[in-house]
Amino acid sequence: MTTPRIAYQGEPGAYSHQACVEARPDHDPMPCSTFEDAIEAVRTGAAELAMLPVENSTYGRVADIHRLLPESGLHIVGEAFVRVHISLLGVPGTRIENVTRAQSHTVLLGQCRTFLRANGIEPVTGADTAGSAAHVARVSDPSLAALASELAGEIYGLVPLAREIEDQTTNTTRFLVMARQADLSRRGAGPMMTTFVFRVRNIPAALYKALGGFATNGVNMTKLESYMAGGNFTATQFHADIEGHPDDRSVRLALEELDYFTSKITLLGVYPADPRRAREG
């Protein structure tokens, strides 16, 4: 029997790879060059699922993902919160005092400023985290280390010289699990989440009125973000996450009121809340 695959953007050892291993251990991770490639892998059947990062607790939303999701043709069937632990990885036999430079994605370099400064290590910008680990393994220079996950170290034969060196001890990335088919069933023992995008009608106070139903019906909206749609300044689309299932009476009433004040609503998915959501909140 063939093991199902889950596509992600990045090289083996990337934090998206880690998310796949943690959240879907029964799937084989499938690396892809871009987010679009990961989405296309699911659309064509090359993979059953895609793991896409949407936001980080330190750096906010992942660029372009919110534009890709509504047009992807895929559906959200799960979420995963991944704690971003950063390790200083070097070639075997290296000691931390040998390291003068550390390479990684610019975001991770920014997350380890205090550690790098304290150890006199110069930051070197790389294309991504796992790619930096692969480069360090390839050049095998004791003075050059990588900032990446321990998973990347295991894959590329590097050893951790220091662990959990990030400045922000709560740095967490939220991922969405995407599939070709929607699953609107209630599943799992915990609460459900519903994600959708909408555009408000061109009337005064439309957004205020559209959101009023969630307040009056006691529905908690955990996320609301806006972005321009269609390449112009007059069309604004909103991305929202709410607690609850569309069949819940309170959610159903809130969505009915939203529908009255919007020109378009697209349901992106209904899925169990990750147990770590409550802790991260």
Side-chain angles (χ1 to χ4, degrees):
M1 185 175 178
T2 303
T3 303
R5 298 203 285 182
I6 180 168
Y8 67 93
Q9 185 277 325
E11 305 229 16
Y15 287 99
S16 291
H17 184 186
Q18 178 182 328
C20 294
V21 172
E22 291 182 7
R24 292 295 190 272
D26 55 339
H27 285 61
D28 280 342
M30 175 183 173
C32 298
S33 297
T34 66
F35 293 132
E36 290 89 344
D37 289 342
I39 290 170
E40 188 64 16
V42 178
R43 279 201 296 233
T44 61
E48 282 66 34
L49 300 173
M51 182 71 73
L52 301 177
V54 289
E55 57 194 334
N56 177 270
S57 60
T58 302
Y59 289 95
R61 73 183 181 193
V62 176
D64 297 330
I65 281 292
H66 289 75
R67 290 179 172 82
L68 291 174
L69 293 182
E71 308 301 326
S72 69
L74 304 184
H75 306 271
I76 305 169
V77 295
E79 68 174 356
F81 286 78
V82 173
R83 179 71 176 81
V84 180
H85 287 305
I86 306 172
S87 293
L88 182 73
L89 305 172
V91 295
T94 300
R95 295 184 300 175
I96 192 170
E97 50 265 34
N98 300 137
V99 177
T100 59
R101 297 168 297 140
Q103 179 174 315
S104 191
H105 188 279
T106 181
V107 169
L108 251 68
L109 292 173
Q111 267 289 293
C112 301
R113 286 193 184 96
T114 301
F115 174 87
L116 296 177
R117 190 180 305 114
N119 288 275
I121 298 174
E122 177 189 353
V124 178
T125 301
D128 54 48
T129 60
S132 295
H135 174 74
V136 168
R138 190 165 52 247
V139 300
S140 194
D141 179 356
S143 70
L144 178 65
L147 299 178
S149 68
E150 285 203 40
L151 175 61
E154 294 171 8
I155 290 172
Y156 299 109
L158 302 178
V159 295
L161 306 177
R163 293 182 168 93
E164 298 186 20
I165 61 175
E166 59 273 10
D167 295 338
Q168 298 290 336
T169 59
T170 59
N171 192 14
T172 301
T173 298
R174 178 185 176 224
F175 292 82
L176 295 177
V177 182
M178 312 291 294
R180 285 188 298 280
Q181 300 296 324
D183 185 352
L184 304 183
S185 66
R186 296 183 188 272
R187 49 204 190 275
M192 297 291 291
M193 299 293 299
T194 298
T195 294
F196 54 91
V197 294
F198 65 93
R199 296 184 190 182
V200 295
R201 293 166 53 196
N202 189 22
I203 58 175
L207 180 60
Y208 172 80
K209 295 173 182 176
L211 298 181
F214 295 96
T216 56
N217 287 287
V219 177
N220 186 29
M221 182 171 285
T222 61
K223 181 184 183 68
L224 178 67
E225 289 195 344
S226 65
Y227 54 97
M228 288 183 294
N232 61 70
F233 289 98
T234 59
T236 301
Q237 186 152 279
F238 296 88
H239 175 111
D241 295 338
I242 60 172
E243 294 179 350
H245 188 282
D247 289 342
D248 296 341
R249 183 175 185 275
S250 57
V251 174
R252 177 170 53 79
L253 292 174
L255 290 175
E256 287 175 358
E257 191 162 341
L258 175 68
D259 183 62
Y260 182 78
F261 293 103
T262 56
S263 59
K264 182 180 180 181
I265 302 176
T266 302
L267 181 66
L268 296 184
V270 179
Y271 50 97
D274 188 295
R276 287 165 289 191
R277 170 178 284 275
R279 298 197 295 271
E280 296 301 332

